[in-house]
Amino acid sequence: MIIGTRHFFIIIGFLFLAFASDAQSPLLKRTDFTVNDELLEDALIQLSQQTAVNISFSNKLIPSKKRVTTNQKNTTIQRILDILLTNTNIQYKVIGDNISLSKRPPPPSRKFTISGYVEDEETGEPLIGANIYDPDSQLGTSTNEYGFFSLTLYEAINIELDVSFLGYQLKKEQLKLKKDLQVNIQLAASLTLNPIIVTPQDSLYGTAANLNQYNDQIAIEQIKLLPTLGGEADIWRGNYLQAGVQTGTDGVGGLLVRGGSVDQNLVLLDGVPVYNPTHAIGVFSIFNTDAIKSFTLYKGNAPARYGGRLSSVMNIRTREGNNQEFSGEVSAGLISAKASFEGPIIKDKCSFFISGRHSLTQWYIPQITSRVKDQNNENRVTGIDQNRSGSSDYAFYDINAKLHVDVSPKDKFYLSYYKGNDDFSDRNLLEYRDSFSFNIDPPLFIDATIRDTTDLGFSWGNTATSLRWNHVFTNKLFANTTLYYSDYNFQSEERFASGGFYEDGSDDYILEVEKFTLNNNNLGGKIDLDYIHSTNHYIRFGLGVSKQEFLPGAFLNSTEAIDLPILLDSIAIFDTLDVQPQIAYEYEAYIEDDFQLTSTLQANIGVRGAIWSIDNTNFYSLQPRIHTTYNLRKNWLIRADFSQSVQHVHFLTKSNLGLPGDIWVPTTQNVPPERAWQTSLGVEYQIKKFGFVSIDAYYKDMNNVIAFIQGDSSLVLNATNWEENVEIGQGEAYGVEFSLKKTSGMFRSWINYTLSWSERQFDNLNDGQPFPFRYDRRHSLKLMGQYFLGDHWNFNATWVIESGARLTLPLFEYQVRTGFGDINIQEPSQINERQTPAYHRLDIAANYSFEKGRWSHALSLGIFNVYNRINPIFYRLRQDQQLVQVSLLPFLPSVNYSVKF
């Protein structure tokens, strides 16, 4: 469209050429094969020798007198075996590069279902994504988002299930399957740091669950070991290390996935949508890692049960509380202090979890900024005796709480609550002497001391709460019903006060105040059902409704002047802009099926329907989603995706940074919903006792994306008549992602490289020509290494190397002389035509941990920005048109100490 799709399909072609030749199953190998009245055993040996494929079997398995005759030309080994083994009770299967023959068991007469939960043995927490696998039948499944599983197998006197989960010991669960069983399986945490390597055969053969999850997810415990900013471990910074994920300098700019913008990410906290998921304009997230149980990032391959955004889904689940014993954790770093407590209210039945975090920045930011303001010579007023001072301050907090009640083996209730807020303030004080003359008879001269105070304040925060009910209708049908409320609020106030103190003892006072507020809230309910028909079909379906309210911004301006020398009376001027909220209703329904077509081919196919209703206008959409995986050989996997998405909310921003004062607005009659379709193709190879390597190519086409064109320089947006101040256009993004991950041994590493393009086009911007997106970085390389030294020490480093960000800068500046004076006019370049120099940053950390009785101690020391070549956002332009770096986050130490009990 904008760039042309030719490059994308060239990328796909090279991708297949690179891997297709090496990933063939031995059953698909072709040969000419002729036998005439030969013993079956001899014929099998001849086939093995002729094709150089090892065919293993026991002599007792082969009928001693069976003879075979066949003449095959250019035929697959699979077809030849089918002919040779006709009318026998012998079956074959591929194990690596070998073919194994075994006795075909008699078909059982009945099937039974094993269902239940997989839980942590010590805490009772459900484990999300745990694997349950039957080696005999090579069938298995995984637990859903709530720890529930259902597996249907043939009747057996004794079966032994392999139950595994990352970071836990493998458990052999022995059962007698003579009837339907309901069991809860407890796993013990692993005593070592070595993760369980789940191969494609373990996780995909025989199971139709979790097909949409890629292997480049980062575990919470791994994120806590990474280098941090001031000791603040954060899942957002972990996501920035993934291939296909971009951000601005040091996190400022939010999460940008595969060429999308910051508003195109659906962030769910226990199923509740969150509008602004970051503190400190994106430097780190609102999610306290001590409160998180699991999180998953879908990079454009989200299944049909998720919708409402174009680029990605971040699904975050918080901890539910230890239902066995009381425990807690306290930690502190340079950025914040945290405390978490959990325990049973009624053992095995009811538990609680509560966690709080508060910043420590208010202890040192005012002192630092006060000194900077005092020493800033640029603030001096030439020729006037003056004294300038002031300071800035920033603070934030988060609270997470959850109550979990098991009413019965089939019913569980969860009440979740989150509250978080940021506060920023800036004060500037100026005191100086001045003289006033009044042209009256006789002339009047007054000396005065003027004291000016400018206060700027911002406050923003999220509230999210939900009530969930898990109910097991049958051993195959599971339901989760959720009622939720989400709220985002932003307030700003700019206050200017000037006092004049005159020699005659009089004084006057001027006060100017500008206030701004915006609010978004979402009240809704939904029901999600899992129907596990069999190991070949895992069906999910559900529906939901929500009421969304948008208050795009309201201003209050006031000016008050009291006791001015020349005025006899005080004056007061107030100007209030009352913006009425816009209310929309969204109705959604979906159905999807994870199913197995063959033993090597799986697919997730679904469709999502949505209705957006606002001001008596309805918008309808159907959004198909397709995800397939194909196991070429034991360790090779090909995946392909296609999806369509619709987004009914828009983001008004002038900076593309995702600032807290940027405004969410709804789809209306004049501004249609954003739409996108995306396709991707990838190859993954599992390396035994090492990790995996993968390559993915993607293409994304976006329509009805918007650009806000308000041109003033105010710190907050004016949403008055916002529909008249947006441009509607289109976008395109494509690229290739490469990942190499080593997950075992004392040294572990991760290499992610992304080659990408992203552009936008609007008819009334840039002369209608396409232009690069603000974060169109051609190259992005992210390296991560971890070294474990014994049981107590580990050392970590991350290195990010990226192309520079895009900028729009003036080509030249000239003056025009008018009757009102000289006016400076800048001639701009093409939008985002200029690019800052390449950026790279090195962070390091060392972690030490030990246990003493019930107490666990951990100390983390690190340096953020050990080496930072350049920060690509914060620049100023010199008169010679050269960019000068203005660094946001310089060389910073990192310290964190935590205690668990």
Side-chain angles (χ1 to χ4, degrees):
M1 187 190 69
I2 298 175
I3 306 174
T5 59
R6 181 170 57 91
H7 300 82
F8 177 72
F9 292 105
I10 290 176
I11 292 170
I12 292 178
F14 278 113
L15 192 64
F16 268 113
L17 288 175
F19 290 98
S21 61
D22 189 41
Q24 186 181 32
S25 169
L27 290 173
L28 301 180
K29 189 173 184 179
R30 293 182 175 273
T31 187
D32 297 336
F33 183 72
T34 300
V35 291
N36 184 19
D37 196 30
E38 296 283 349
L39 290 172
L40 175 58
E41 180 178 348
D42 295 337
L44 291 170
I45 294 173
Q46 178 182 332
L47 178 62
S48 177
Q49 294 174 343
Q50 181 175 321
T51 59
V53 174
N54 183 28
I55 303 176
S56 61
F57 56 87
S58 170
N59 293 334
K60 297 179 180 180
L61 178 67
I62 308 301
S64 58
K65 297 182 180 181
K66 182 175 177 60
R67 293 181 175 270
V68 291
T69 299
T70 186
N71 182 17
Q72 301 296 322
K73 300 294 184 181
N74 192 28
T75 306
T76 64
I77 295 178
Q78 182 175 9
R79 175 59 181 160
I80 295 172
L81 286 175
D82 288 339
I83 294 172
L84 296 179
L85 301 178
T86 301
N87 297 323
T88 70
N89 64 343
I90 301 173
Q91 64 181 3
Y92 59 85
K93 66 179 179 178
V94 175
I95 303 177
D97 295 329
N98 305 319
I99 299 174
S100 175
L101 305 187
S102 60
K103 184 177 181 180
R104 181 182 291 113
S109 58
R110 295 181 297 176
K111 287 185 176 182
F112 295 107
T113 299
I114 308 167
S115 62
Y117 292 86
V118 178
E119 302 170 339
D120 183 291
E121 184 179 70
E122 293 185 0
T123 67
E125 287 263 3
L127 300 179
I128 301 172
N131 297 306
I132 302 94
Y133 182 70
D134 176 28
D136 292 336
S137 64
Q138 296 187 350
L139 298 176
T141 188
S142 298
T143 57
N144 65 9
E145 295 183 30
Y146 314 100
F148 177 81
F149 75 94
S150 176
L151 178 62
T152 300
L153 300 171
Y154 281 107
E155 177 183 5
I157 298 176
N158 290 295
I159 63 169
E160 187 175 71
L161 299 179
D162 291 344
V163 186
S164 63
F165 187 66
L166 184 67
Y168 286 76
Q169 299 177 33
L170 175 68
K171 183 172 185 178
K172 301 283 189 178
E173 186 76 13
Q174 295 184 347
L175 300 169
K176 292 184 178 180
L177 192 57
K178 305 293 288 184
K179 62 179 180 179
D180 290 339
L181 299 177
Q182 184 173 348
V183 296
N184 289 346
I185 303 173
Q186 284 78 36
L187 296 185
S190 176
L191 299 179
T192 67
L193 292 173
N194 294 325
I196 298 170
I197 303 299
V198 182
T199 66
Q201 183 173 0
D202 295 329
S203 60
L204 290 177
Y205 285 136
T207 175
N210 295 333
L211 294 182
N212 294 74
Q213 295 186 18
Y214 288 3
N215 277 333
D216 54 356
Q217 307 293 329
I218 310 178
I220 289 292
E221 294 306 319
Q222 187 178 21
I223 285 179
K224 291 182 178 181
L225 300 179
L226 293 175
T228 61
L229 172 60
E232 195 66 30
D234 188 68
I235 62 171
W236 230 240
R237 306 200 71 83
N239 284 324
Y240 294 153
L241 296 175
Q242 296 195 38
V245 178
Q246 300 282 356
T247 185
T249 299
D250 301 321
V252 176
L255 197 69
L256 307 156
V257 179
R258 288 185 171 178
S261 55
V262 67
D263 63 301
Q264 294 177 354
N265 307 306
L266 176 64
V267 181
L268 298 173
L269 179 63
D270 285 333
V272 183
V274 177
Y275 285 100
N276 185 358
T278 62
H279 289 303
I281 61 173
V283 175
F284 43 86
S285 75
I286 65 173
F287 307 113
N288 180 356
T289 53
D290 293 344
I292 297 175
K293 177 169 66 175
S294 68
F295 74 97
T296 302
L297 175 66
Y298 296 92
K299 298 185 297 185
N301 65 319
R305 59 186 178 272
Y306 301 110
R309 299 294 188 272
L310 299 188
S311 291
S312 74
V313 176
M314 170 70 81
N315 187 23
I316 301 164
R317 294 289 175 182
T318 59
R319 293 167 59 183
E320 296 170 1
N322 190 327
N323 63 13
Q324 300 298 309
E325 60 181 3
F326 291 96
S327 61
E329 180 175 3
V330 178
S331 64
L334 298 181
I335 299 294
S336 71
K338 299 181 286 187
S340 301
F341 302 95
E342 60 183 321
I345 298 175
I346 302 175
K347 190 173 182 179
D348 294 324
K349 293 291 185 180
C350 180
S351 63
F352 76 92
F353 176 85
I354 186 168
S355 179
R357 174 174 63 166
H358 199 287
S359 63
L360 304 177
T361 53
Q362 63 275 15
W363 287 6
Y364 50 84
I365 284 183
Q367 290 77 11
I368 295 174
T369 55
S370 177
R371 181 173 299 181
V372 171
K373 289 177 182 290
D374 289 342
Q375 297 177 353
N376 190 350
N377 291 326
E378 293 181 359
N379 287 337
R380 298 292 177 182
V381 179
T382 304
I384 299 178
D385 181 18
Q386 58 89 31
N387 179 32
R388 182 182 294 273
S389 62
S391 64
S392 301
D393 196 6
Y394 172 71
F396 69 89
Y397 72 87
D398 299 298
I399 298 173
N400 292 87
K402 182 177 283 188
L403 179 66
H404 167 209
V405 181
D406 287 354
V407 177
S408 70
K410 292 188 175 183
D411 295 281
K412 300 174 182 287
F413 286 89
Y414 305 87
L415 179 62
S416 304
Y417 176 77
Y418 168 82
K419 175 67 176 178
N421 205 77
D422 292 65
D423 290 287
F424 172 80
S425 63
D426 180 72
R427 164 167 283 201
N428 289 285
L429 305 173
L430 174 63
E431 181 176 313
Y432 60 93
R433 297 281 299 175
D434 204 350
S435 297
F436 297 88
S437 62
F438 299 92
N439 189 18
I440 59 176
D441 189 16
L444 177 62
F445 299 92
I446 301 178
D447 291 332
T449 298
I450 308 300
R451 295 173 184 168
D452 294 340
T453 303
T454 303
D455 289 297
L456 179 64
F458 297 100
S459 179
W460 66 95
N462 295 275
T463 301
T465 186
S466 66
L467 175 63
R468 293 191 291 114
W469 171 35
N470 288 173
H471 179 68
V472 180
F473 285 99
T474 69
N475 53 22
K476 292 178 177 288
L477 183 60
F478 175 91
N480 175 69
T481 304
T482 306
L483 299 176
Y484 64 86
Y485 176 76
S486 177
D487 179 88
Y488 175 69
N489 186 70
F490 172 83
Q491 294 179 340
S492 71
E493 179 175 317
E494 186 171 4
R495 179 184 296 262
F496 172 76
S498 180
F501 302 90
Y502 302 95
E503 290 182 339
D504 62 0
S506 62
D507 57 67
D508 61 45
Y509 181 74
I510 297 176
L511 175 64
E512 295 180 356
V513 179
E514 180 178 278
K515 295 182 179 180
F516 174 81
T517 181
L518 68 87
N519 179 264
N520 301 107
N521 61 72
N522 189 337
L523 176 64
K526 57 184 179 179
I527 181 170
D528 302 284
L529 297 105
D530 292 12
Y531 177 60
I532 305 93
H533 176 270
S534 64
T535 54
N536 292 329
H537 288 275
Y538 195 117
I539 301 171
R540 298 177 176 92
F541 56 99
L543 52 87
V545 60
S546 65
K547 175 187 176 183
Q548 302 183 36
E549 184 173 304
F550 304 83
L551 181 65
F555 283 94
L556 170 64
N557 298 304
S558 68
T559 302
E560 186 175 5
I562 302 175
D563 293 334
L564 292 176
I566 307 303
L567 298 178
L568 299 179
D569 300 315
S570 300
I571 60 173
I573 304 171
F574 295 94
D575 180 19
T576 302
L577 176 61
D578 185 15
V579 179
Q580 296 300 316
Q582 294 178 286
I583 298 176
Y585 294 88
E586 187 168 22
Y587 309 90
E588 301 171 308
Y590 71 89
I591 184 170
E592 62 180 83
D593 184 12
D594 286 339
F595 63 94
Q596 287 210 197
L597 298 172
T598 68
S599 62
T600 59
L601 178 62
Q602 304 86 31
N604 176 288
I605 296 180
V607 64
R608 183 179 187 85
I611 303 174
W612 180 266
S613 180
I614 185 171
D615 296 333
N616 299 318
T617 302
N618 295 327
F619 296 87
Y620 303 90
S621 64
L622 282 178
Q623 306 159 46
R625 313 282 176 86
I626 301 173
H627 174 78
T628 60
T629 60
Y630 178 66
N631 294 276
L632 293 172
R633 293 175 67 178
K634 178 181 178 181
N635 296 325
W636 286 95
L637 179 146
I638 283 183
R639 53 181 172 244
D641 301 290
F642 174 84
S643 64
Q644 287 188 351
S645 302
V646 176
Q647 180 169 326
H648 293 112
V649 293
H650 309 284
F651 201 50
L652 304 185
T653 177
K654 293 189 294 183
S655 63
N656 287 317
L657 294 179
L659 297 176
D662 293 342
I663 298 174
W664 290 94
V665 293
T667 287
T668 66
Q669 294 180 353
N670 300 318
V671 183
E674 300 179 32
R675 299 177 182 271
W677 66 268
Q678 176 173 313
T679 184
S680 65
L681 182 65
V683 177
E684 182 177 310
Y685 177 65
Q686 293 274 350
I687 306 172
K688 188 176 182 180
K689 296 182 180 180
F690 181 89
F692 74 91
V693 60
S694 67
I695 298 179
D696 292 274
Y698 67 89
Y699 178 86
K700 182 192 298 183
D701 181 85
M702 296 170 280
N703 290 285
N704 300 332
V705 296
I706 71 168
F708 191 55
I709 56 175
Q710 179 181 332
D712 60 63
S713 59
S714 60
L715 294 176
V716 295
L717 299 181
N718 187 346
T720 307
N721 301 321
W722 66 268
E723 295 175 78
E724 300 175 3
N725 294 314
V726 297
E727 289 291 333
I728 301 174
Q730 50 195 347
E732 186 180 51
Y734 61 85
V736 177
E737 302 166 357
F738 170 83
S739 293
L740 174 64
K741 189 173 183 181
K742 184 179 184 297
T743 58
S744 61
M746 292 189 299
F747 176 73
R748 302 166 195 177
S749 62
W750 197 350
I751 301 174
N752 284 328
Y753 170 73
T754 305
L755 173 68
S756 62
W757 292 261
S758 182
E759 291 195 349
R760 301 292 188 267
Q761 188 272 326
F762 299 88
D763 291 341
N764 297 319
L765 297 179
N766 207 53
D767 297 324
Q769 297 300 310
F771 57 87
F773 181 50
R774 176 70 175 83
Y775 297 101
D776 174 39
R777 303 182 191 272
R778 190 69 65 246
H779 304 281
S780 175
L781 177 63
K782 301 163 184 178
L783 311 175
M784 186 273 288
Q786 294 180 320
Y787 181 74
F788 294 87
L789 183 61
D791 296 330
H792 303 292
W793 283 97
N794 63 82
F795 302 90
N796 302 265
T798 59
W799 194 8
V800 178
I801 310 169
E802 295 180 322
S803 301
R806 298 284 181 168
L807 293 175
T808 303
L809 297 174
L811 293 174
F812 55 86
E813 183 176 326
Y814 59 91
Q815 287 186 338
V816 175
R817 182 161 297 177
T818 69
F820 301 98
D822 295 339
I823 300 177
N824 293 329
I825 297 179
Q826 292 182 341
E827 184 67 25
S829 64
Q830 297 291 306
I831 295 179
N832 295 336
E833 183 181 38
R834 303 285 292 274
Q835 190 172 18
T836 65
Y839 158 77
H840 61 91
R841 190 192 74 243
L842 173 65
D843 307 325
I844 61 175
N847 303 292
Y848 177 74
S849 62
F850 67 95
E851 295 185 5
K852 189 173 183 180
R854 285 197 57 191
W855 298 77
S856 299
H857 303 260
L859 175 65
S860 176
L861 302 174
I863 301 176
F864 189 84
N865 278 4
V866 173
Y867 181 73
N868 183 345
R869 183 182 185 277
I870 199 163
N871 280 311
I873 287 184
F874 296 88
Y875 295 89
R876 60 181 179 179
L877 186 64
R878 295 197 321 217
Q879 292 183 356
D880 58 1
Q881 301 294 304
Q882 295 296 313
L883 290 174
V884 180
Q885 177 189 3
V886 182
S887 180
L888 172 67
L889 296 176
F891 178 96
L892 291 174
S894 173
V895 179
N896 186 271
Y897 177 72
S898 65
V899 179
K900 293 183 179 180
F901 52 90

